[in-house]
Amino acid sequence: MSNTYYLPQANEVELFEVAASMNLPLLIKGPTGCGKTRFVEYMGDKLKRDVYTVVCHDDLSAADLIGRHLIDENGTYWQDGPLTKAVRNGGICYLDEIIEARKDTTVILHSLADYRRVLPIDRTGEMIQAHPDFMLVVSYNPGYQNLLKGMKPSTKQRFISLSFDYPHAGVEKEIIIKESGVNADIAQRLTTIADEIRQLDDNDIQEAVSTRLLVYAGKLISKGFNPYDACMHSIVESLSDEREVLEVLERLVQLHFIQKN
Ligand SMILES: Nc1ncnc2c1ncn2[C@@H]1O[C@H](COP(=O)(O)OP(=O)(O)O)[C@@H](O)[C@H]1O
Ligand SMILES: [Mg+2]
């Protein structure tokens, strides 16, 4: 049994299982806070595979993924990085926000993602054939950039792709209840607020309200915060810095929760 709580939105669990069984890499696209990381953790539990998560950024080097020589009192020794550990011992290597990583870092993934499934380690002269239980999973937010554009066709065409979005209202409500402990009525109001914000077409809101923010709001309410204040501190303030936008969002929250003071 899996310990990680995850409520499926569609057929993503089956798709992940098929990709894993066919030794294919998986690409997950979706806005921030919609459940991508939680999903990969859940699948790791379900398939009984370790998950090595790396959140990518522009300072991430190939050595951060592959490994490096270290020195101790006995001299130098090699230490596998998270990618090499997963390749060597089996496991899921999950590269979150892969678009943030530089090209010269991600180029090492090509031979792993295509039919060869090998990882060459220049520093040690090793060429590691991936363990049967090795799986590469990458995710990114297509709202920012297009990952596929920069990828070689031979690599790109190996990926099984999954597109995530914020869960449907019913699913999202259940997630909020389970994750934050609020009652069904509060959860319903939070999802309604989210739906209304998501329908606003405002350039000043860089990204729509995420499931993560709704869970935060729920948690503040569970901790005893007045629901109106909880929404202000979680949902509203984190979506914009523009005075007029904040006022629109504030009014929207006021329709559902009473402002005290
Ligand atoms: N389908 C889901 N099942 C359970 N929790 C979810 C789900 N989707 C989102 N969540 C909640 O939203 C939070 C953010 O999800 P996360 O996986 O970190 O988002 P992402 O990786 O897409 O940015 C999680 O910590 C969890 O509380
Ligand atoms: Mg994530």
Side-chain angles (χ1 to χ4, degrees):
M1 257 307 282
S2 173
N3 294 322
T4 309
Y5 168 67
Y6 178 75
L7 196 58
Q9 304 182 35
N11 63 347
E12 68 269 28
V13 174
E14 291 77 19
L15 211 68
F16 193 112
E17 285 177 327
V18 170
S21 72
M22 290 169 69
N23 274 338
L24 294 177
L26 184 72
L27 173 78
I28 307 176
K29 308 179 193 189
T32 183
C34 70
K36 302 184 294 298
T37 297
R38 178 64 66 91
F39 172 59
V40 176
E41 287 166 358
Y42 169 81
M43 290 309 300
D45 265 9
K46 192 165 196 292
L47 299 177
K48 298 193 174 57
R49 296 192 196 184
D50 289 334
V51 178
Y52 299 88
T53 299
V54 180
V55 180
C56 300
H57 51 83
D58 57 5
D59 266 348
L60 188 82
S61 66
D64 292 329
L65 293 177
I66 292 179
R68 48 171 53 91
H69 283 108
L70 297 177
I71 305 175
D72 66 6
E73 63 274 15
N74 301 316
T76 65
Y77 65 100
W78 174 261
Q79 188 177 62
D80 282 348
L83 178 65
T84 309
K85 280 185 191 158
V87 170
R88 208 191 287 281
N89 311 318
I92 297 165
C93 184
Y94 173 42
L95 304 180
D96 199 359
E97 310 286 355
I98 189 161
I99 209 100
E100 301 295 330
R102 292 190 315 261
K103 276 260 173 53
D104 56 314
T105 304
T106 50
V107 72
I108 58 172
L109 300 174
H110 285 155
S111 61
L112 267 178
D114 71 22
Y115 66 94
R116 291 169 286 177
R117 282 178 50 95
V118 293
L119 177 65
I121 303 185
D122 293 344
R123 291 284 175 82
T124 62
E126 252 187 306
M127 179 70 105
I128 311 175
Q129 183 66 52
H131 187 284
D133 286 345
F134 167 72
M135 181 176 184
L136 177 67
V137 180
V138 304
S139 72
Y140 77 107
N141 184 339
Y144 301 150
Q145 254 172 307
N146 186 346
L147 170 74
L148 296 170
K149 231 162 77 184
M151 232 188 237
K152 289 197 306 186
S154 60
T155 305
K156 178 161 60 187
Q157 295 188 12
R158 287 273 299 177
F159 280 89
I160 295 279
S161 298
L162 253 177
S163 216
F164 268 49
D165 207 338
Y166 304 117
H168 299 297
V171 173
E172 194 164 49
K173 177 178 165 187
E174 211 175 315
I175 292 170
I176 297 168
I177 295 171
K178 181 91 179 179
E179 288 281 292
S180 73
V182 293
N183 63 34
D185 172 52
I186 300 265
Q188 179 61 56
R189 288 172 198 238
L190 289 172
T191 54
T192 306
I193 290 172
D195 282 346
E196 289 171 1
I197 295 177
R198 286 167 189 163
Q199 278 161 30
L200 292 177
D201 181 27
D202 198 312
N203 292 330
D204 290 317
I205 303 178
Q206 289 188 332
E207 213 162 5
V209 53
S210 67
T211 309
R212 177 186 292 120
L213 284 180
L214 300 179
V215 169
Y216 284 173
K219 282 183 174 166
L220 289 176
I221 295 168
S222 288
K223 293 267 183 223
F225 265 80
N226 159 269
Y228 173 85
D229 291 337
C231 288
M232 292 304 291
H233 290 300
S234 54
I235 301 168
V236 174
E237 293 291 348
S238 63
L239 288 184
S240 181
D241 292 324
E242 305 290 328
R243 194 61 253 159
E244 301 95 83
V245 181
L246 290 176
E247 278 167 15
V248 170
L249 296 175
E250 203 176 334
R251 276 200 295 276
L252 212 151
V253 171
Q254 281 167 347
L255 295 176
H256 302 278
F257 291 120
I258 300 157
Q259 180 178 8
K260 299 215 172 114
N261 72 41

